[in-house]
Amino acid sequence: MNDFRYFTPTEVVFGKDAENKTGDTAKKYGSKALLVYGKGSVIKSGLLDRVKASLEKAGVQFKDFGGAKPNPTLAHAEEGVKEALAFGADMVIGVGGGSTVDTAKAIAHGTANPDKNLWDIWTRKVDLVKSIPVGTVLTIAAAGSEMSDSAVLTNEAIGKKAGINTDMNRCSFAIVNPALAATLPKNQIAAGVTDIMMHTMERYFIPDIKADMTDEIAEGLLRTVIKNGELVLKDPADYDAMCEVFWASSLSHNNLTECGRGKDFSVHKIGHALSAKYDVTHGASLAAVWASWARELYKGAVPRFARYARNVWKIDEADDEKAAVLGIDRTEEFFKSIGMPVRISEMGVNPSDSDIRELAMDATMQDTVKLSRIRPLSAGDVEKIYKAAL
């Protein structure tokens, strides 16, 4: 087992009508909040009004800032920084899913550092040494941003999507009422289930490390989200099943499943390049390339893929390599069964050879970064994966 540091400071308020506790929770962290949300679903559902009523009751002032996008953008976050500074906000609250939370994190960083360029912070050209508290009222189980140390932005001006990992990305609090997801479109639920699985698998498929406790947690999480993901897709009003999916979302990306093992996130980098160029749903971009990534690399980690097949999918096959292949196939079949694309073309995207080269160069930072801890992948290797995924 490798050495590790585990840090999860987020206060989680979980359960029915949890949004009504937003004010009492938020006032522990600030008194003036920029309230960040998307394009209107939280207004139509009445959720935003309930959050505002709770904040008012607790004496927390707030200012609205709507318009968060599914792939959050730098330009929108920069607008939010201006609004937060003008209002004198001392915290940011995101009401929505992972994109809204990531937008809130970016605004918090920019507000605390008004003399620094936000993209320079994001690309680590300048150090991030301070921020202001971020809270969230979560509406979808997917990104895990409510407890993670990560956030992602797209710089539309240059067509680049980038993530930043820092303890300052940790939300101070997360309000989680799984019942809020009952009215979500099923494709969003399916994309969320996919993202939860990916966050876990990106930490799982690292060979030659013994971390049994962490592996057991990861395998249990995967079995849980697969089982309950199928249940909520049949009936989004199944509250108990939705609770399991939401809790799996938080645990999948708060670093728990990397303790002693570490993480890879090469599939995310390959998927991020796709979603930055074509503005496709994040979970869908991951499902579209995962099986091609796995088939390219599994021979370098046959025992890991075989263990995954047996412990997650209950595949009864004594031969490790055959079990590994069956586990990859079964995962691909699951993505198909929940309506996720398993080919790039299934997203309505048909990149040319030059597009694929550009995507591969973007995923590998112009071929300066090798992806994967199974076997280092160059831009040429990533091209091969994209072509296999077409």
Side-chain angles (χ1 to χ4, degrees):
M1 182 180 289
N2 289 344
D3 296 348
F4 65 89
R5 172 181 177 266
Y6 182 56
F7 178 63
T8 52
T10 306
E11 178 183 358
V12 178
V13 180
F14 191 107
K16 293 180 180 178
D17 302 320
E19 65 270 23
N20 296 327
K21 300 175 183 177
T22 305
D24 286 339
T25 306
K27 69 181 181 182
K28 303 174 189 177
Y29 303 98
S31 60
K32 298 184 76 173
L34 187 73
L35 206 54
V36 180
Y37 53 93
K39 296 182 178 180
S41 62
V42 296
I43 299 174
K44 295 175 184 176
S45 68
L47 173 61
L48 191 64
D49 283 342
R50 295 197 297 276
V51 170
K52 288 180 178 180
S54 180
L55 291 170
E56 287 175 347
K57 185 177 179 181
V60 178
Q61 298 179 58
F62 57 85
K63 179 178 176 59
D64 283 18
F65 183 66
K69 300 179 180 180
N71 283 309
T73 66
L74 172 68
H76 186 253
E78 289 175 331
E79 290 178 22
V81 171
K82 292 176 184 177
E83 294 287 339
L85 289 170
F87 179 57
D90 57 9
M91 67 176 159
V92 185
I93 300 175
V95 183
S99 296
T100 299
V101 183
D102 283 5
T103 301
K105 291 178 181 182
I107 292 170
H109 302 337
T111 302
N113 301 277
D115 57 332
K116 295 180 180 178
N117 179 281
L118 186 55
W119 192 244
D120 285 347
I121 291 173
W122 223 255
T123 53
R124 299 173 183 81
K125 291 181 181 177
V126 298
D127 292 334
L128 179 64
V129 296
K130 58 182 177 179
S131 191
I132 63 174
V134 173
T136 177
V137 181
L138 195 66
T139 60
I140 182 171
S145 193
E146 67 276 6
M147 287 188 77
S148 79
D149 68 352
S150 64
V152 177
L153 281 182
T154 297
N155 185 335
E156 291 182 304
I158 60 174
K160 300 296 181 185
K161 188 172 186 177
I164 182 173
N165 292 80
T166 168
D167 282 343
M168 287 175 221
N169 274 335
R170 302 281 189 186
C171 286
S172 295
F173 65 90
I175 307 295
V176 184
N177 175 6
L180 297 176
T183 58
L184 285 173
K186 289 189 177 182
N187 67 307
Q188 288 188 24
I189 296 173
V193 167
T194 302
D195 203 12
I196 295 165
M197 291 178 65
M198 291 293 176
H199 286 151
T200 309
M201 292 191 294
E202 294 272 55
R203 295 164 163 100
Y204 185 86
F205 291 111
I206 299 172
D208 304 323
I209 296 171
K210 181 177 172 57
D212 287 347
M213 186 70 256
T214 298
D215 286 346
E216 294 285 350
I217 292 169
E219 291 158 1
L221 195 158
L222 287 164
R223 291 193 301 270
T224 297
V225 77
I226 290 165
K227 173 186 174 182
N228 289 281
E230 290 178 331
L231 291 174
V232 297
L233 283 165
K234 289 178 183 176
D235 179 12
D238 185 336
Y239 178 74
D240 286 334
M242 193 67 83
C243 283
E244 300 290 353
V245 174
F246 265 76
W247 191 224
S249 174
S250 296
L251 297 184
S252 74
H253 204 28
N254 75 351
N255 302 110
L256 177 64
T257 58
E258 73 184 55
C259 290
R261 179 165 292 286
K263 58 186 173 183
D264 183 339
F265 276 67
S266 54
V267 179
H268 267 71
K269 289 182 173 65
I270 295 168
H272 279 169
L274 278 170
S275 58
K277 184 173 179 62
Y278 298 108
D279 197 27
V280 293
T281 302
H282 174 60
S285 74
L286 300 177
V289 300
W290 184 83
S292 296
W293 169 89
R295 290 178 180 124
E296 174 68 18
L297 288 171
Y298 81 92
K299 288 187 178 180
V302 167
R304 292 300 296 165
F305 279 88
R307 173 172 173 151
Y308 165 77
R310 293 172 183 136
N311 291 0
V312 174
W313 294 109
K314 304 303 180 185
I315 289 170
D316 184 13
E317 169 56 60
D319 181 85
D320 276 2
E321 186 159 349
K322 289 180 181 178
V325 172
L326 289 170
I328 294 168
D329 292 346
R330 185 65 188 86
T331 307
E332 186 176 50
E333 290 165 7
F334 175 75
F335 290 149
K336 284 182 183 179
S337 75
I338 63 172
M340 283 288 98
V342 294
R343 295 290 181 271
I344 292 171
S345 58
E346 292 174 8
M347 297 187 292
V349 173
N350 293 288
S352 65
D353 285 347
S354 61
D355 290 333
I356 289 173
R357 180 63 180 170
E358 179 187 335
L359 288 166
M361 292 295 282
D362 187 22
T364 59
M365 298 182 69
Q366 305 307 305
D367 208 15
T368 63
V369 175
K370 303 293 185 184
L371 305 187
S372 175
R373 289 180 59 185
I374 298 174
R375 169 171 59 81
L377 298 174
S378 66
D381 296 318
V382 175
E383 276 191 76
K384 184 178 177 182
I385 292 171
Y386 279 128
K387 288 178 179 179
L390 287 176

